[in-house]
């Protein structure tokens, strides 16, 4: 985690899913950044969002890459801020469906709390 | 889109006068410096020039190869008047040549050799290079690390949004292999069928092994000089009619809402505008094929078909021949430059059994912009 993102990860460790919201124009942004790409100012506030998102795409890895083994990785867009997309592991015994609503699951990773995703039901 | 359609004063100012290759293999057994030197000398030989003529050197790399400041002295090229050591991967492969065009047109150098040398199989496993930069922390811990996974994610999105099918990706792989069969330099020369494609093992769904390029040890080099000078050299001049690089938004920076449109869609009007040409003028296209999907999406973004229609367009077999060397999927992955070299061979009419009859105009493109929100491309024309 880098300096821009440390607080985001700290909030995740505390069980909160948040995005930055520009103090000047209100544009939400993720990943964490100092500058708002819409109005190019530095101020922001953290906004805790409902940990619900919509599945946009996914892959099923058949071998290990990076920090996790084989398995399904989803890309989701937050229901509360569709501009904000995130990746996470898919925690379900079936394939995701395009557009389905999913909920965040906070899981303990190797060195930090991670945000994974599971079906709403 | 229409506002930049002015033919550029840079059009046809520079040309490619020579092309050089090393062997492509799984294990070169030599250093990237040796590969670079061999390719540079081969390109100069092809052009009828010597190292003593070189006053510019250019490459790109991602910590996996040798800089011009190493290659130059190793070949006794001292005090070049211009050089470029561009950081970056496939998205800047064609930007290296684009910048050589500027150097030559501005008189900073007269004879620039652009090269790329990698041991991408035996030393630096390109396919396992993890994402870097501030976005990696949001990807790698979830097991999303390799370029192929990112492109697989984009390919799935295209399938979901537009109904693109696995068979469309398969047809790209099959067609490129058929070209590779006719290319003595290609690493994979056994024909494949769609059934072979379907039987190929999953790597990261929706990608199978046959959707992926071949990590390769090898090097390639191009001699870039002024158009006037090529007229006195021994090869058929290949004019650089357009050279462009540019932007777009990356997935995680700034709310890019539809990643089925790549940076290439923004660059294409500028590129065609510089040449005063359009997609209908392209006789042969070498489209960056790190994975099958990147070909399909570029057919859309470079205007050969409408957005979303890449699958049916591939199935129709319409349009110019694509990746006539077999591409990275079947010739080998030299990170972009071997696409330019193949375009040169085609325009010179020297592509042997895979020659596209009467090829006058070629498009060659870089990675369409995922890792960095940027891409680059060239339009070449027989002089
Ligand atoms: Zn703002």
């Amino acid at each position: 985690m880098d300096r821009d993102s440390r607080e985001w990860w700290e909030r995740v460790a505390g069980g909160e899913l948040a995005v930055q919201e520009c103090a000047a124009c209100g544009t939400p942004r993720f990943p964490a950044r100092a500058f708002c790409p819409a109005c190019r100012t530095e101020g922001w506030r953290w906004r805790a969002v409902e940990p619900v998102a919509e599945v946009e795409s996914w892959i099923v890895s058949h071998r290990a890459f990076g920090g996790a083994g084989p398995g399904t990785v989803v890309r989701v867009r937050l229901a509360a801020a569709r501009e904000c997309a995130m990746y996470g592991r898919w925690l379900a015994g079936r394939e995701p469906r395009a557009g389905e609503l999913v909920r965040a699951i906070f899981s303990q990773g190797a060195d930090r709390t991670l945000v994974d995703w599971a079906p709403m039901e | 889109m229409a506002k930049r359609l002015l033919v550029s004063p840079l059009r046809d100012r520079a040309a490619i006068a020579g092309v050089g290759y090393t062997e492509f293999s799984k294990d070169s057994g030599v250093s990237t410096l040796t590969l670079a030197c061999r390719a540079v000398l081969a390109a100069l030989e092809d052009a009828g020039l010597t190292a003593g003529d070189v006053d510019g050197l250019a490459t790109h790399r991602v910590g996996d190869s040798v800089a011009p400041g190493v290659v130059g002295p190793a070949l006794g090229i001292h005090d070049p008047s211009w050089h470029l050591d561009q950081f970056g991967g496939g998205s800047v492969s064609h930007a290296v040549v684009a910048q050589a065009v500027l150097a030559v047109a501005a008189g900073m150098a007269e004879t620039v050799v652009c090269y790329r040398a990698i041991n991408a199989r035996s030393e630096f496993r390109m396919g396992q290079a993890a994402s870097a930069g501030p976005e990696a922390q949001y990807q790698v811990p979830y097991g999303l690390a390799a370029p192929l996974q990112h492109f697989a994610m984009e390919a799935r999105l295209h399938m979901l949004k537009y109904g693109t099918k696995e068979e469309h990706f398969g047809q790209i792989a099959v067609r490129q292999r058929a070209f590779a069969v006719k290319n003595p330099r290609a690493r994979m020369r056994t024909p494949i069928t769609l059934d072979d494609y379907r039987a190929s093992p999953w790597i990261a769904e929706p990608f199978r092994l046959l959707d992926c390029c071949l990590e390769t040890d090898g090097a390639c080099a191009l001699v870039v000089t002024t158009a006037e000078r090529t007229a006195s050299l021994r090869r058929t001049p290949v004019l650089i009619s357009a050279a462009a690089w540019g932007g777009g938004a990356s997935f995680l920076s700034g709310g890019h809402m539809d990643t089925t449109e790549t940076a290439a869609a923004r660059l294409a009007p500028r590129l065609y505008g510089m040449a005063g040409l359009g997609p209908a003028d392209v006789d042969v296209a070498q489209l960056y094929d790190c994975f099958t999907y990147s070909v399909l999406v570029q057919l859309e973004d470079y205007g050969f078909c409408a957005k979303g229609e890449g699958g049916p367009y591939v199935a129709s077999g319409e349009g110019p021949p694509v990746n006539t060397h077999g591409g990275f999927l079947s010739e080998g992955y030299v990170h972009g430059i071997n696409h330019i070299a193949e375009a040169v061979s085609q325009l010179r009419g020297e592509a042997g059994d895979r020659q596209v009859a009467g090829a006058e105009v070629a498009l060659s493109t870089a990675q369409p912009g995922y890792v960095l929100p940027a891409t680059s491309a060239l339009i070449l024309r027989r002089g």
Side-chain angles (χ1 to χ4, degrees), chain B residues 225-288:
Chain B
T225 185
T226 60
E228 303 82 67
R229 183 134 175 269
T230 54
S232 65
L233 296 175
R234 69 181 183 192
R235 292 298 192 179
T236 304
V238 171
L239 301 171
I240 301 171
S241 292
W245 70 101
S250 83
F251 166 60
L252 284 173
S253 59
H256 188 32
M257 296 302 285
D258 181 5
T259 56
T260 63
E261 183 178 283
T262 71
R266 298 190 184 194
L267 173 140
R270 224 162 47 231
L271 180 79
Y272 288 127
M274 181 172 172
L277 297 169
D281 299 307
V282 173
D283 298 315
V284 59
Q286 319 299 350
L287 304 179
Y288 197 94

Side-chain angles (χ1 to χ4, degrees), chain A residues 1 5 57-58 60 62 75, chain B residues 138 153-154 156 205 259:
Chain A
M1 60 189 78
S5 293
S57 189
W58 67 93
V60 184
H62 286 251
R75 182 159 97 197
Chain B
Y138 297 100
M153 190 76 76
E154 302 306 327
R156 167 94 64 191
E205 297 176 43
T259 56

Side-chain angles (χ1 to χ4, degrees), chain B residues 10 93-103 114 240 243-245 376-378:
Chain B
L10 288 172
S93 56
H94 290 54
V96 170
V97 175
Q99 289 168 88
V101 170
L102 295 182
C114 302
I240 301 171
W245 70 101
S376 49
L378 303 172

Side-chain angles (χ1 to χ4, degrees), chain A residues 1-2 5 9 30-31 33 56-63 65-67 73 75 77 82 85 87-88 115-116, chain B residues 134-135 137-138 140-146 149 153-154 156-157 160 202-205 251-252 256-257 259 370:
Chain A
M1 60 189 78
D2 65 14
S5 293
W9 287 107
F30 175 84
R33 293 279 193 274
E56 181 171 88
S57 189
W58 67 93
I59 60 169
V60 184
S61 295
H62 286 251
R63 53 177 79 166
F65 294 96
V73 179
R75 182 159 97 197
R77 289 192 179 273
R82 292 203 81 255
Y87 295 107
V115 181
D116 293 321
Chain B
E135 297 178 353
Q137 64 191 312
Y138 297 100
V140 177
Y142 302 106
L144 181 64
Q149 295 174 295
M153 190 76 76
E154 302 306 327
R156 167 94 64 191
L157 183 60
L160 293 169
W202 292 118
I203 307 298
E205 297 176 43
F251 166 60
L252 284 173
H256 188 32
M257 296 302 285
T259 56
Y370 178 80

Side-chain angles (χ1 to χ4, degrees), chain B residues 146-179:
Chain B
L148 84 90
Q149 295 174 295
H150 288 289
F151 280 92
M153 190 76 76
E154 302 306 327
R156 167 94 64 191
L157 183 60
H158 202 281
M159 295 168 85
L160 293 169
K161 188 166 180 185
Y162 298 114
T164 308
K165 296 179 169 55
E166 284 174 21
E167 283 70 21
H168 298 139
F169 302 142
Q171 276 167 311
I172 290 168
V174 168
R175 217 167 275 161
Q176 289 190 200
R177 181 61 61 86
F179 278 121

